[in-house]
Amino acid sequence: MEGQRERPPASRAKKPAVKRTTTDHNGTVGAPSHAGNCGPQRGARSRRAKRDGDPTEKPRTRARPGQASMPITDQRSSATGAAGVAEQPASPELQPPAHPEAPEVARGPSRRRGARSVGQLGAPRASRKDLKGTPEGKLKNVLKKLKLKRKEISKAADVVNEVVKHLLTSMKNRESEFKEVQPLNTGSYYERVKISAPNEFDVMFKLAVPRTQLQEYGDTGAFYLVAFKRIPRGNPLSHFLEGDILSASKMLSKFREIIKEEVKEIKDRDVCVEEEKPGSPAVTLLIRNPEEISVDIILALESKSSWPISTKEGLPIKNWLGTKMRTSLRREPFYLVPKNAKVGDSFQGKTWRLSFSHTEKYILKNHGIEKTCCEVGGAKCCRKDCLKLMKYLLEQLKKEYQELEAFCSYHVKTAILHMWTKYPQYSQWDPKDLSSCFDNFLTFFVECLKTEKLMHYFIPKFNLFSQELIDQKSKEFLIRKIEYERNNGFPIFDKF
């Protein structure tokens, strides 16, 4: 394995141990290693710098032989080059992904410890006291507090599974247009990037549809009008046709009506359906457990046709996860959710929006260029840690400032996917460089805000930061808040 070296034979002569203080390349005390991690290498200054004690020496990010390193924070990333990396051949051993569907809520990660590879030297542990005052230490402390507790995960998962199972069973047993729906778990909980508490879940109720014909609506490539190439006799969805077009709003309205009826039959749980939000594709349930758990039930049409032409240049993972993986993922079904296109101050009720949340879930779970990245016994990276920190930063800022209402965690997830594409190597996401990696991500995100360009990861011509979606004033406000936090050591992280 790259980065491993044999342990030197123990010296037979007994010499008194010399205590040494280990510092990383930023001059701060090295972070502690964890079971299952490949031990991080100790950073070292040049001998001349060490003798002279030059306080102005800039930190350098080390790269392994043959690998490019992520630029340090004074080398600003460009938002327009998010996917611009040199192409590398895909691994011939790369296997097509299994179908990402999971019928039930997972009950939390396994607690087994990963075994350290034979012959690999571990980095010396620094004391918590030494780490506490460093940027690295503060970020790791935040991540520790954000980590979900296993007992809470299991408790919430059992409740959600119970409610979802009741709804699915009821729909199968009643004569309706949604008799054949199947579950598809998506969202941050199933991607293992949920933070703070297991109180929000997204569950798709997918419905396979016969051969469809899509007509792009607008110029974003994200919204479509759906028609059937051939309508078989007795097709229950014909009730929702307006002319030849399948109305998303009509179908969602009936879906909501059935969900509300079935929720009333749940007697052993305190469950209610929240009021409909304009433009939202979800039917939101509120479960009091006694803590509140929000569950978004999202109707999704499953299409097994080729992905729409607007996605042809999307999913730029060839140089990161490989060409074979990209081809395999694009052979999976795509989904259409009843998210209406906005027209001025109203919504076009017939339109559906493309959804690739199932593919995003797969990528987040299999995010490393090395197959064993973050697996038990494999090397750990800080990719998902940076995502969690940025999600939490935006979440906390939104609690304090109404001006940030237009921003959401999907913007953060899209930005991090572009970052992972731009910097695919493990060495560029080494856990011991968490602070600099997070700062690089902030630099990239701020640059996207300044240029007003954050392109959809699967639909390259769909700009999530366009003026039509988010006004410039809101973007400038978020830029100022992010810069204030990073320049002052993230005081908002102390507000737990």
Side-chain angles (χ1 to χ4, degrees):
M1 183 184 292
E2 186 180 1
Q4 292 183 351
R5 53 196 177 95
E6 297 182 358
R7 292 182 181 273
S11 174
R12 295 182 179 179
K14 296 183 179 179
K15 295 182 179 181
V18 179
K19 296 184 179 178
R20 304 174 65 181
T21 302
T22 303
T23 59
D24 64 15
H25 53 258
N26 290 315
T28 56
V29 180
S33 62
H34 300 278
N37 289 8
C38 290
Q41 300 285 337
R42 288 184 291 178
R45 298 186 178 187
S46 67
R47 293 181 180 178
R48 179 178 296 177
K50 196 169 184 180
R51 288 197 304 268
D52 297 341
D54 183 6
T56 64
E57 184 185 21
K58 294 184 179 179
R60 299 179 181 272
T61 302
R62 286 194 175 189
R64 293 179 179 174
Q67 294 179 331
S69 62
M70 185 190 298
I72 55 178
T73 53
D74 61 336
Q75 298 172 348
R76 299 303 185 191
S77 303
S78 170
T80 57
V85 290
E87 185 172 350
Q88 299 172 351
S91 170
E93 299 178 0
L94 201 57
Q95 298 297 322
H99 196 281
E101 178 180 349
E104 289 197 349
V105 178
R107 284 165 172 76
S110 170
R111 300 187 68 178
R112 293 180 299 168
R113 291 191 176 187
R116 182 177 291 160
S117 301
V118 177
Q120 184 163 349
L121 295 179
R125 294 180 179 270
S127 69
R128 291 184 180 180
K129 184 177 180 181
D130 291 334
L131 269 176
K132 189 175 181 181
T134 67
E136 207 86 8
K138 181 170 185 175
L139 295 181
K140 289 184 177 181
N141 189 47
V142 171
L143 288 169
K144 185 178 179 181
K145 291 182 179 180
L146 293 178
K147 189 174 181 180
L148 301 183
K149 296 180 180 179
R150 183 173 180 147
K151 183 181 291 187
E152 293 178 358
I153 293 173
S154 297
K155 185 178 179 182
D158 288 340
V159 172
V160 173
N161 281 334
E162 181 184 318
V163 172
V164 169
K165 185 177 180 180
H166 173 91
L167 294 175
L168 287 170
T169 302
S170 299
M171 285 189 169
K172 292 179 185 299
N173 292 335
R174 68 183 289 168
E175 290 300 325
S176 78
E177 299 85 349
F178 308 101
K179 187 179 179 68
E180 303 300 324
V181 293
Q182 298 289 335
L184 179 62
N185 300 327
T186 60
S188 61
Y189 175 82
Y190 304 98
E191 295 163 349
R192 299 291 171 85
V193 291
K194 185 75 182 74
I195 58 176
S196 303
N199 56 3
E200 292 181 356
F201 296 83
D202 295 328
V203 180
M204 276 187 176
F205 278 19
K206 63 178 184 176
L207 183 66
V209 292
R211 296 176 62 192
T212 57
Q213 183 173 339
L214 303 183
Q215 178 185 340
E216 186 176 338
Y217 183 88
D219 58 358
T220 64
F223 296 93
Y224 287 84
L225 297 173
V226 178
F228 295 113
K229 291 183 178 179
R230 185 184 305 165
I231 304 177
R233 290 184 179 181
N235 180 2
L237 300 185
S238 60
H239 298 282
F240 306 119
L241 292 176
E242 291 186 3
D244 295 330
I245 304 300
L246 183 64
S247 171
S249 58
K250 280 187 176 181
M251 198 164 172
L252 178 59
S253 180
K254 183 60 180 294
F255 182 70
R256 168 180 285 273
E257 182 183 314
I258 293 175
I259 293 288
K260 289 175 74 174
E261 290 175 3
E262 296 302 336
V263 163
K264 291 178 182 178
E265 300 301 317
I266 301 176
K267 306 298 183 183
D268 55 343
R269 291 286 178 192
D270 186 359
V271 187
C272 67
V273 179
E274 290 192 340
E275 291 185 8
E276 184 177 0
K277 298 175 183 176
S280 172
V283 179
T284 304
L285 308 182
L286 193 62
I287 307 173
R288 295 179 180 86
N289 190 40
E291 299 84 4
E292 290 186 349
I293 300 175
S294 176
V295 183
D296 279 349
I297 307 293
I298 303 168
L299 174 65
L301 304 181
E302 181 183 63
S303 176
K304 296 183 180 179
S305 304
S306 299
W307 287 18
I309 191 67
S310 63
T311 69
K312 184 177 179 180
E313 302 301 324
L315 189 58
I317 61 172
K318 290 182 181 179
N319 306 309
W320 166 30
L321 301 178
T323 302
K324 288 186 178 180
M325 181 60 68
R326 184 179 186 273
T327 301
S328 179
L329 289 172
R330 284 180 60 86
R331 286 175 180 165
E332 291 290 313
F334 68 91
Y335 295 88
L336 293 151
V337 298
K339 173 75 174 177
N340 303 146
K342 194 170 184 180
V343 183
D345 294 329
S346 59
F347 294 92
Q348 167 53 270
K350 294 182 180 180
T351 55
W352 300 77
R353 192 186 68 185
L354 294 177
S355 171
F356 300 96
S357 55
H358 62 301
T359 309
E360 293 162 0
K361 181 176 76 171
Y362 181 85
I363 292 174
L364 263 70
K365 285 187 173 182
N366 302 273
H367 54 261
I369 195 169
E370 296 88 357
K371 293 181 182 179
T372 58
C373 186
C374 291
E375 290 184 359
V376 174
K380 308 297 180 183
C381 74
C382 66
R383 289 178 177 92
K384 291 173 83 168
D385 286 344
C386 289
L387 173 57
K388 289 178 182 179
L389 288 168
M390 185 61 199
K391 282 182 64 175
Y392 185 65
L393 175 60
L394 180 60
E395 180 182 290
Q396 293 299 95
L397 288 173
K398 287 184 68 174
K399 287 179 181 178
E400 295 199 8
Y401 305 104
Q402 292 183 348
E403 294 89 340
L404 303 178
E405 184 179 356
F407 296 97
C408 64
S409 61
Y410 193 75
H411 295 132
V412 176
K413 182 162 69 171
T414 299
I416 200 77
L417 287 174
H418 283 301
M419 280 291 287
W420 294 351
T421 299
K422 191 174 184 181
Y423 303 109
Q425 302 298 334
Y426 164 78
S427 61
Q428 296 164 330
W429 299 95
D430 195 314
K432 75 176 185 296
D433 299 323
L434 173 62
S435 180
S436 61
C437 289
F438 181 51
D439 196 65
N440 279 320
F441 182 31
L442 287 175
T443 298
F444 177 81
F445 195 82
V446 167
E447 187 67 18
C448 291
L449 290 167
K450 288 179 178 178
T451 59
E452 298 189 271
K453 288 185 180 179
L454 177 60
M455 311 316 291
H456 195 285
Y457 197 68
F458 296 84
I459 312 168
K461 65 178 182 177
F462 184 23
N463 183 10
L464 300 177
F465 279 174
S466 67
Q467 278 282 352
E468 292 77 13
L469 296 177
I470 305 177
D471 63 89
Q472 185 177 0
K473 188 176 179 181
S474 297
K475 293 169 202 159
E476 291 174 348
F477 187 86
L478 181 54
I479 290 171
R480 291 196 299 272
K481 294 305 171 186
I482 290 176
E483 293 293 8
Y484 174 82
E485 292 297 326
R486 75 194 298 195
N487 291 334
N488 291 277
F490 303 99
I492 203 165
F493 282 165
D494 297 322
K495 299 180 180 180
F496 283 100

